[in-house]
Amino acid sequence: MLSPTRAVDNTDGRFQLLVEAVIDYGIFMLDPTGHVVSWNPGAEKLKGYTRGEILGQHFSVFYPPEVVATGWPKEELRRATECGRFEDEGWRVRKDGTRFWANVIITALRDSSGQLTGFAKITRDLTERREHENALRQSEARFRLLVDGVHDYAIFMLDVNGNVRSWNAGAQALKGYTGEEIIGRHFSAFYTPEDQAAGKPANGLAAAREHGRTEQEGWRVRKDGSLFWANVVVTAMRDERGELIGFAKVTRDMTERRRLEELERSGRMMSQFLAMLAHELRNPLAPMRNAVTLMQLEPSTNPALRSARDILDRQLTHVTRLVDDLLDIGRLTTGKIRLQREDVSVSDLVARAVETARPLIEARHHTLTIELPPQPVHVDADPTRLSQIMQNLLVNAAKYTPDGGRVAVKAIAADGFVTISVSDNGRGIAHGDLPRIFELFAQGDNGTPNDSGLGVGLTLARSLAEMHGGRLDAESPGPGQGSTFLLRLPLGQHQERPAAEAAPALKVLVVDDNRDSADSACAIIRMLGYDAECAYDGTSALTTAARWQPDMVLLDLAMPGLDGYMTLGRLRKLPAMDRAHVVAMTGYGSKEDRHRTADAGFDGHLTKPVELDALTRLIESVRQRADQGKPLAS
C-alpha cells in the first residue's frame, strides 16, 4: 500500500501531466504579487512566450498598455482575492504585439490555513467567436437599417400569439400607426370586422405554422378606417431546435394594381359586349339596308316615298356608323386594331369621304369647296381607317353648321407631310372645350337636344391618326365662329395601279337563314344585272350549288344545322365549286374574325349590313379575275 505522501505526489504528477497536455488553453500560476511561476504549452502557443522567457515576469505584460495604465490587472487580482474567483473578457497582447480577445478566469489559491499562496489563471482565445458575434451584430444592424429604410413595404414581426413585436417605416406609412401605437397589439387590428369574425387572422397564422409560409390577398384596414387591397406574406420563424418563436409579415399595397386589373377585366367584358351588340344590331340592319337599297334602285315618282326612303337611308347609315364606332373603340382600348397599309391617293380619299357626307351636306344646303394640290399626293396608310377619319370630320362639320353654311376641305403637301383641313363657319368650339373634345365620350357644352352621337368619333379619329404616325388637332376662334380640324399625315410613295376593266356578269348564290336578308340581297344583285338565287340553310345551299354551279357564294356563318364553315367544306367538294369565290357574310367583322374565315378557306369577308358599294366592288373584282382567266377562288 502506498503511503499518503506518495499518493499525493502521484496525484500532483498526474495533474501536472494533464495541464502540460492541454494546448488550447493557457494555464499558468501567479504568485500573490502577480508574477508568473508556471507555464504550460497551451500558454506558450496562445501568448508566444516560452517558459524561460516568461517565468518571473508580471502578468500585466499580457495587457494592452492603456489597460495597464488604468490599473486593471491589479484590480483583477484584488477581485479574485476577495471573491475567490474572477472571470473577465477583454483584449490581451501576445509577445509579438498582436492582440486577441480572451476569456480569463483567475482563481485565488490558499493553503490549509487560508493564507493566499497565489493565483491559477486560465485563458482562452475567443477572437474568432467575437468576430463572428460582431459580424452577426453588424449584419443584424444592417438588416434593421434596411428594413427600417423600406417605405413601400410594411415589414414587421409577430410573436407566437400574433402580437406585433417590431414595426418599420413602411408599416407606419402603409397602415398609419406609429410603433408606439401598435407594438404589443394583436395584428387582427388590420383586418375588417367581417374577416375577424370569419377567423381569417388566426387561420393565416395556422397556415404559416403548418406550411412555413403563406401568401394571401384581401382588404386590410388602416388606422383611419380606410381600406386598401393588400398582398400579405407570413413566414413562420423557428429557432435552432425548430421551436416556433414568431412570424415575419410583409405587406404590400396592391390597390392600384387591383384597380388596373379591374379596369382591364371590365375593358375585356365591355369589348366582348360591344362585339356581341354590334353583331346583334347588324343582323337586323342587314335586311333593312337591303330593303332601302332596293327602294333606291326602283324608280319612284312619289316625292313622299322618295323622302321616306332617303330618311331611312340616312338614319340607317347613322346607326351603322354608331355601331361601328362602338366596336372600334372596344378594339382600340384592347389594342386589337391593326392597320392594313397601302398606297392611298389623297384626292381619292377626299372624294370617298365627300361622297359619304354629301347627302347630309346637301340636306343642310351647305356650300362645299374642295382645294387639292396640283400634283398627285399619296400616303402609305389604311384607306378604310383614313376614310373613317375624314368621314367623321365632314359629317361633324355638316351636322354642327346651321343650314346654308360653308364647309371647306383643303389639302397642302409640304416638308414630307400632307395636311388635310376640314373647316366650317358653324357653331364653333369654346376655348374651355378645345382641350377635351378628343376625350372619350366628351361632348361640347354648346350642344342642343337634337344633337346625336356617343362622343367617341373624335377620340377614335385622333387615335387612328396617331397610329398612322400623324396627328389630328382642332382650332376655333370661339362659339359661333366656326372650327377647323387639321389631319397631318406623313407622305408616302406613289404606286401606279392598273385601271379595272369590265368583265362578264356572274351567277351569285346568297345563303342566309334570315330570309329577309337573303331575299333582299338577291333582289339587289339582280337589279345590278347579275344572276342570283337564294338558299336559307346549308343543306339547300349544297343542293342549289350542285345544280346551278354559281361563280360566287355569299355565305352566312351563324346558321342552324350546317353552319357556314361546315357548308364551305362540303361546297368545295362539289363539281366545279372548287373554283367558286366563296365570301363569308356575318355580323362579326373584327380582325380576328377575318383571320378565322381566311384560315377556314373563305375567299372574302363581308360584314353585315353589307354596303352597296362594298358588294359592287367585290363582284367587280371577281368579274375582273374571271375576265383575266384567273381562278375565282383565291
Side-chain angles (χ1 to χ4, degrees):
M1 179 179 293
L2 294 174
S3 67
T5 301
R6 184 63 178 272
V8 171
D9 290 342
N10 287 340
T11 300
D12 289 343
R14 287 195 296 270
F15 181 75
Q16 184 63 33
L17 288 173
L18 175 63
V19 170
E20 291 294 327
V22 174
I23 59 174
D24 294 326
Y25 289 76
I27 303 174
F28 53 97
M29 302 283 291
L30 305 177
D31 65 16
T33 61
H35 293 84
V36 179
V37 296
S38 73
W39 197 247
N40 82 323
E44 181 175 339
K45 176 184 175 184
L46 179 59
K47 297 179 182 287
Y49 296 94
T50 64
R51 183 180 283 107
E53 290 173 328
I54 197 62
L55 291 179
Q57 290 200 51
H58 196 271
F59 84 111
S60 59
V61 298
F62 309 138
Y63 291 75
E66 65 272 15
V67 176
V68 175
T70 65
W72 182 248
K74 185 182 296 186
E75 176 64 17
E76 286 186 339
L77 296 185
R78 189 193 68 77
R79 294 188 183 187
T81 301
E82 181 179 330
C83 303
R85 182 182 182 278
F86 176 74
E87 184 172 0
D88 186 30
E89 287 192 9
W91 290 111
R92 297 297 185 266
V93 183
R94 297 185 179 93
K95 175 185 175 182
D96 61 7
T98 58
R99 298 189 180 197
F100 67 97
W101 187 261
N103 172 270
V104 178
I105 299 175
I106 303 176
T107 303
L109 302 176
R110 300 179 184 277
D111 59 17
S112 57
S113 64
Q115 185 68 29
L116 180 68
T117 59
F119 301 91
K121 195 169 185 203
I122 301 175
T123 303
R124 285 189 297 161
D125 184 355
L126 298 182
T127 306
E128 186 175 345
R129 189 198 72 180
R130 176 179 171 81
E131 290 175 351
H132 176 72
E133 290 174 347
N134 281 341
L136 184 60
R137 280 194 295 271
Q138 292 172 8
S139 176
E140 290 175 348
R142 286 194 297 268
F143 181 73
R144 181 164 293 279
L145 285 173
L146 173 64
V147 170
D148 289 341
V150 172
H151 291 268
D152 297 327
Y153 291 74
I155 304 173
F156 53 99
M157 299 287 295
L158 308 176
D159 64 18
V160 293
N161 296 314
N163 298 305
V164 178
R165 284 291 174 259
S166 70
W167 199 246
N168 79 324
Q172 180 170 336
L174 179 58
K175 297 178 182 287
Y177 296 94
T178 64
E180 292 77 11
E181 292 172 325
I182 197 62
I183 289 178
R185 292 180 58 183
H186 197 269
F187 83 112
S188 58
F190 310 137
Y191 286 73
T192 64
E194 296 80 9
D195 286 349
Q196 292 182 27
K200 289 189 176 181
N203 293 339
L205 295 188
R209 186 184 296 111
E210 180 180 355
H211 303 292
R213 179 185 182 277
T214 183
E215 183 172 359
Q216 302 171 340
E217 288 197 3
W219 292 110
R220 295 295 185 269
V221 185
R222 297 186 178 92
K223 176 186 174 182
D224 61 7
S226 61
L227 298 177
F228 67 98
W229 187 261
N231 172 273
V232 181
V233 177
V234 182
T235 304
M237 308 296 292
R238 300 183 182 275
D239 60 19
E240 62 276 6
R241 298 187 305 274
E243 296 292 330
L244 182 69
I245 59 175
F247 302 90
K249 201 160 186 282
V250 180
T251 302
R252 287 186 295 165
D253 185 354
M254 307 298 285
T255 308
E256 182 64 16
R257 190 200 71 178
R258 177 180 170 84
R259 186 184 70 83
L260 292 175
E261 289 176 348
E262 289 291 337
L263 286 175
E264 290 176 359
R265 184 159 47 249
S266 298
R268 288 193 298 270
M269 294 177 63
M270 179 60 72
S271 297
Q272 293 169 0
F273 168 74
L274 291 177
M276 182 61 68
L277 175 65
H279 177 264
E280 293 302 319
L281 288 175
R282 279 172 169 164
N283 274 333
L285 286 175
M288 294 169 65
R289 165 59 65 192
N290 292 341
V292 170
T293 302
L294 282 173
M295 288 189 286
Q296 291 172 331
L297 293 173
E298 182 69 31
S300 175
T301 58
N302 189 321
L305 288 179
R306 288 202 305 270
S307 175
R309 177 198 66 193
D310 293 342
I311 290 173
L312 285 173
D313 180 50
R314 289 194 297 271
Q315 294 305 314
L316 271 173
T317 300
H318 181 62
V319 172
T320 302
R321 190 163 67 88
L322 291 179
V323 170
D324 289 340
D325 283 351
L326 274 176
L327 191 57
D328 279 339
I329 281 294
R331 293 170 183 160
L332 186 68
T333 55
T334 54
K336 292 183 178 179
I337 287 184
R338 296 290 182 269
L339 300 181
Q340 300 295 318
R341 292 180 180 269
E342 60 183 71
D343 183 76
V344 179
S345 166
V346 171
S347 60
D348 289 347
L349 169 67
V350 172
R352 286 197 297 268
V354 167
E355 192 61 32
T356 301
R358 189 178 296 280
L360 179 58
I361 293 173
E362 292 178 349
R364 304 293 291 267
H365 307 292
H366 296 319
T367 299
L368 174 66
T369 60
I370 301 172
E371 184 177 344
L372 298 174
Q375 300 297 325
V377 175
H378 294 256
V379 292
D380 181 30
D382 186 324
T384 301
R385 295 305 182 182
L386 285 192
S387 295
Q388 194 173 356
I389 298 173
M390 289 299 301
Q391 290 168 20
N392 184 285
L393 299 182
L394 278 169
V395 168
N396 280 354
K399 184 166 62 173
Y400 295 118
T401 298
D403 287 0
R406 296 189 305 274
V407 178
V409 180
K410 183 177 181 180
I412 299 175
D415 302 325
F417 286 85
V418 60
T419 301
I420 307 173
S421 63
V422 178
S423 304
D424 61 67
N425 65 337
R427 181 181 303 165
I429 305 170
H431 288 294
D433 288 335
L434 274 173
R436 55 182 292 271
I437 60 170
F438 292 103
E439 295 177 4
L440 189 60
F441 303 126
Q443 292 178 317
D445 294 334
N446 57 336
T448 68
N450 292 327
D451 291 340
S452 60
L454 300 172
V456 302
L458 288 178
T459 304
L460 183 61
R462 170 173 273 189
S463 297
L464 291 173
E466 291 173 349
M467 290 177 69
H468 282 86
R471 278 195 58 78
L472 178 61
D473 296 297
E475 299 174 352
S476 177
Q481 302 180 65
S483 58
T484 299
F485 285 83
L486 302 164
L487 173 62
R488 179 179 168 89
L489 298 167
L491 292 174
Q493 279 192 325
H494 172 50
Q495 297 176 2
E496 293 293 339
R497 289 163 292 177
E501 298 181 7
L506 303 178
K507 295 189 294 184
V508 183
L509 173 61
V510 180
V511 185
D512 196 329
D513 64 308
N514 186 322
R515 288 177 174 264
D516 288 339
S517 181
D519 292 343
S520 56
C522 280
I524 291 171
I525 294 169
R526 292 183 186 118
M527 293 185 73
L528 291 174
Y530 310 120
D531 291 337
E533 287 199 20
C534 296
Y536 307 117
D537 56 59
T539 301
S540 60
L542 295 173
T543 302
T544 303
R547 169 183 56 81
W548 195 47
Q549 295 185 352
D551 303 300
M552 183 176 181
V553 180
L554 302 181
L555 180 56
D556 185 31
L557 297 182
M559 297 186 297
L562 291 179
D563 64 14
Y565 294 101
M566 298 170 65
T567 303
L568 173 66
R570 300 189 185 185
L571 270 175
R572 292 299 191 198
K573 297 177 181 179
L574 295 176
M577 288 306 296
D578 58 331
R579 298 181 66 256
H581 194 87
V582 184
V583 178
M585 190 168 59
T586 174
Y588 290 105
S590 71
K591 185 66 176 290
E592 290 76 11
D593 297 323
R594 293 177 181 273
H595 277 313
R596 185 184 177 195
T597 54
D599 292 342
F602 283 95
D603 301 308
H605 186 114
L606 286 176
T607 304
K608 296 178 181 179
V610 179
E611 296 287 345
L612 178 61
D613 286 347
L615 181 60
T616 302
R617 287 195 301 270
L618 176 63
I619 295 177
E620 287 178 352
S621 68
V622 176
R623 287 176 57 190
Q624 183 179 9
R625 295 179 68 88
D627 186 58
Q628 295 173 351
K630 296 179 180 179
L632 300 182
S634 59

